Amino acid sequence: MTKNITYLNDLQNEYFNLIKSKRDIIFSGDLSLIEISKIVEEIDIFWRKNRDKFLFDLDYFTDKETLFLAGSMYLDLEDNKHYYFKTFGQEHIINEPLLKFRNVLNDTVQDSFDIISVFKRSFKNTLKLLENYDSYFYILPLDYIISVYNEELIKLQNKIFYQLLASIFDCDEMLSLHSFIEKFNSIEEIENILIEKDIDLFEFDEEDNRLSLKEKLDKYENRIPFDIDDYSTRFLCLLL
Amino acid sequence: MLGDMQFHVYSKSLQLLLQKIIILIYLKFIVMRKHPYDKLKDHHQPKNGILKSPINQVADITTYSWMKECFPDFIWIALIIDYYGRRPAFVILSFIFNDIKNMSFELKSLQLSYIFSLDKEKQEEFYKILLKHINPEVFNPLTIVFNNHHEVFFKYFYSGGMSVEEKLMILEFITDNYAHNKSDGATDVQYVILTFYICIRQIIHTTNNVKSVFEGLYYYQKTNHEEFEMRRYRPTVRSMFGSVQYMIYKHDLEFIKLFWKELLEIGDCNLKYGIYTNEYSMDEDFIEDIKVEFQKLIIDNIHSELEDSKFNVIMGSSVYALKIFNELVDCNLRNKVMGRLSLRIIIEIYIMLKFINKKEDEKPDLWEKYQEYGLGKYKIILIKAREIDEFENSHLNTELIDLVVNEQIDEMFQNVDFRYFENNTNMRDKAIEVNEKELFDFYYDYESSYAHGLWGAIRESSMLKCTNPLHLGHNVPDANLNKNLADVLPDVVMVFKKLLMFINENYPLSEEFLSKYGVKND
């Protein structure tokens, strides 16, 4: 059966209306990082509320040659870069350009470059895209789709990870956390193998090379979002 | 004196130890049974179409859900307790309550819905008190729910640096730990609410045992949940809150709806379902061997009388049951809805045959009557169908049905007699009559839900459970048909063996077959 778009076109309109409503704030002259953060959060919530709809319509692309523009911050319409992109393939999806700013709004990155002007430019571009080229491109939160819903990708990542572990520890294919924990009775056993193979792990600052593996796992346990008593499990989680 | 004191201490320790043992035994007993009155004998006979639960037999009780209807209003207290830890949070909240006493207006309630209904100045006054004692990021997670329409709250408590996902994770954790009514977290929140109404609003609750109540409230905040004494203090807080809450709590349905609706939309469903794997394996020759036995019976008996209704009904019905059994295995329906229906049909055939067999002495032509009854049901379909005559592309072939109905006797001379098989007795009565009540009560009745598409069956087979705490345990229809059901084959084999035993009583099967498959009378 030919797959049709059911929700995406209306979603693009609603998205356009949402960011259009923020135009005055963005170009007001006293735009702050907090305001950007609020707008990005509102956009995030918009996509989350409509995820069932755009996921439903992803089927539409399965039998069409579809190109994704991902990675870069925005499709530079002023330089007519959109023509290159539009030349190939039947359908074109652009990774949601404004959601990328949710990750740059933390203290460590703030001083790196002028986020506000980059955000303004990206915003302006996105608005123009939706105003003038809405029939050529679909804007979708691809990162969100892949990270939340691509179970095959996650399973594959896990498989590769455990195969890598198996090769480091010279054992038959390790398929799971459970088989890894069963294999080693103590963290010292794991450490001995790493020393034998001259593999240094978890060295985030200069002092770390003087610490034992156990001490490093204690030092960096707060990088794991939940408490884990078992050192072998903690080792794997930190590695992941 | 010291000796006396030592004896007194020893005996009090022993007393406490005995108390602990008794309570542990009692609790273990309670844990073994979900409810104290959970058997059929605890429920009286249905009256006016209602089978009342034991509690509702005493009085019709209106239930409310702490999680669904109260928790949203007090989630902010849970956030404070979780952020700072229990005992520091109680201290902080006591400072907050102290400042509330000096506000320019009387704060009547701790409910968020009430606070949001206050005018801007009053809200700001309250939020400033909160911010004097707590970090604004404590309430940051709530800004994904309370944003555009709650500008004042949003202005005071939104801070960047926390993603929507992080906020959702915090709200999920809080809901999981503080929203379930009997949880320690929920009791902590209820304790804070009680304290507000006792100390700030000064609503005094009278009780026959005031000392133990105040002891419970006083020591509750100083005692950790893991400590033994909390088993006394927690029920005190819960029961006191339960008795007072109808006085102090005003449900704001709009607020509650908004809260859960936002979280339902923003948070991802976490759909869970198990997949049954089949451990039971049936002898692969079983069905083929049954076919052979049936063929032998047919050869031995088909020519004994021109028209042996008893034999035809027993063997015809058994072959029908065998067809269903075969389709169950062949078409891999063991874990499917149709498998459930298969079991129900085989049970019905078995009970019906046993019933007619039992009544045979009273009414020797009952086997014939059964055939007439069945054909009569077909006749009804036929005469109705003739009035409509619109079955061009349907499996309902009126010509075929006409042939079947008129095969032996012209339909003009056929009555449709409901007396023996419908009017005077239903399937349950028949099952009781043939000592198969359990088969009916459990297996047949259970599968009847599947046959009729009742909600229990639909919930079990076609709905997926969402385990996201923010989604209140809702269920989502399984549109991708992922779920399967427990294997029905062991039970089908069990019932079919009963059917074989019944056949054997009337038309002996071979000893070899009977011993190979363990088919024997009880």
Side-chain angles (χ1 to χ4, degrees), chain A residues 22 51 79 126 153:
Chain A
K22 307 296 168 196
R51 68 183 168 281
D79 275 352
T126 308
L153 182 63

Side-chain angles (χ1 to χ4, degrees), chain A residues 102-126:
Chain A
R102 67 174 169 229
N103 293 325
V104 298
L105 285 170
N106 59 51
D107 292 336
T108 55
V109 185
Q110 251 178 33
D111 302 329
S112 311
F113 51 91
D114 187 2
I115 298 173
I116 294 175
S117 61
V118 172
F119 179 80
K120 275 183 179 175
R121 195 170 166 191
S122 178
F123 182 89
K124 190 176 160 191
N125 220 56
T126 308

Side-chain angles (χ1 to χ4, degrees), chain A residues 22 33-42 44-45 47-52 102-103 105-106 144 147-149 225, chain B residues 140 143-145 147-148 154-155 158-165 167-169 262-269 471:
Chain A
K22 307 296 168 196
L33 283 177
I34 278 284
E35 285 301 325
I36 291 176
S37 165
K38 286 178 190 174
I39 291 166
V40 169
E41 181 168 298
E42 206 175 324
D44 193 343
I45 289 173
W47 287 116
R48 282 176 183 269
K49 284 186 175 184
N50 290 290
R51 68 183 168 281
D52 290 339
R102 67 174 169 229
N103 293 325
L105 285 170
N106 59 51
Y144 179 69
S147 71
V148 176
Y149 293 100
Chain B
N140 197 9
T143 56
I144 56 171
V145 180
N147 36 49
N148 294 329
F154 191 75
K155 176 180 130 195
Y158 177 86
S159 53
M162 198 188 280
S163 66
V164 171
E165 204 167 323
K167 291 180 186 183
L168 278 172
M169 276 175 58
E262 286 294 302
L263 291 173
L264 181 65
E265 287 180 336
I266 300 171
D268 289 338
C269 275
H471 289 185

Side-chain angles (χ1 to χ4, degrees), chain B residues 260-318:
Chain B
W260 291 119
K261 183 175 180 290
E262 286 294 302
L263 291 173
L264 181 65
E265 287 180 336
I266 300 171
D268 289 338
C269 275
N270 190 13
L271 299 177
K272 294 288 180 204
Y273 58 93
I275 293 289
Y276 287 95
T277 52
N278 297 332
E279 290 171 7
Y280 176 81
S281 67
M282 186 184 73
D283 189 315
E284 58 187 25
D285 294 329
F286 187 40
I287 291 179
E288 285 305 310
D289 285 350
I290 295 172
K291 278 157 75 175
V292 168
E293 289 297 311
F294 281 7
Q295 281 166 32
K296 281 197 281 185
L297 286 181
I298 291 164
I299 291 167
D300 289 343
N301 291 279
I302 196 73
H303 300 299
S304 62
E305 283 188 43
L306 193 60
E307 191 63 43
D308 182 347
S309 293
K310 177 174 176 176
F311 178 80
N312 279 346
V313 169
I314 290 178
M315 287 317 298
S317 302
S318 301

Side-chain angles (χ1 to χ4, degrees), chain A residues 79-93:
Chain A
D79 275 352
N80 294 321
K81 295 253 169 71
H82 55 294
Y83 288 117
Y84 297 122
F85 185 42
K86 189 60 188 159
T87 307
F88 304 98
Q90 286 173 271
E91 297 290 352
H92 304 81
I93 298 178

Side-chain angles (χ1 to χ4, degrees), chain B residues 43-47 50-52:
Chain B
H43 296 68
H44 296 160
Q45 289 295 321
K47 225 180 190 180
I50 303 174
L51 178 72
K52 278 201 171 184

